[in-house]
Amino acid sequence: WVRIRQGWCGSLGFWGIKLSCFPILIACTSYLAAELVKEHSNKVQAGYEYVKGDMIWTPRRARYYPSLCISAGIAAGLLGIGGGMLKGPIMLEMGLPPPVVSA
């Protein structure tokens, strides 16, 4: 056990606080994914025409890409590298134009 100023790193309280961010992150991501899908369906019903480079948020994409970006962010933080190194290729896979990805 390592003693830190605020308490013990191995204590139950420390890990409870540390892990409490994940349910909050999952809840926020789920809410925003549902909003994106709802906005997409509203646009389709209104006759909106997507142009090249627009993101079309289907239910599958709204679950897959945010989960992938969260994983990339965690990996980037653990490895000490810039998140853009991991998220840039993900955004290209999503179909975003390279100038948008590099901005």
Side-chain angles (χ1 to χ4, degrees), residues 8-94:
W8 293 95
C9 283
S11 71
L12 186 61
F14 172 83
W15 288 108
I17 291 171
K18 197 67 146 168
L19 296 175
S20 67
C21 68
F22 289 106
I24 295 168
L25 183 63
I26 291 169
C28 290
T29 303
S30 299
Y31 171 75
L32 291 173
E35 289 295 315
L36 286 170
V37 171
K38 189 186 333 177
E39 182 181 334
H40 167 69
S41 65
N42 288 343
K43 284 182 177 181
V44 169
Q45 288 177 356
Y48 180 80
E49 292 185 27
Y50 286 95
V51 297
K52 185 179 180 191
D54 278 351
M55 191 66 199
I56 299 171
W57 289 103
T58 62
R60 180 186 179 282
R61 283 181 155 200
R63 286 188 310 269
Y64 177 70
Y65 287 121
S67 302
L68 195 60
C69 285
I70 289 169
S71 301
I74 291 170
L78 291 173
L79 297 172
I81 59 175
M85 292 177 64
L86 298 174
K87 292 184 182 180
I90 293 171
M91 290 189 284
L92 288 173
E93 180 190 337
M94 291 169 66

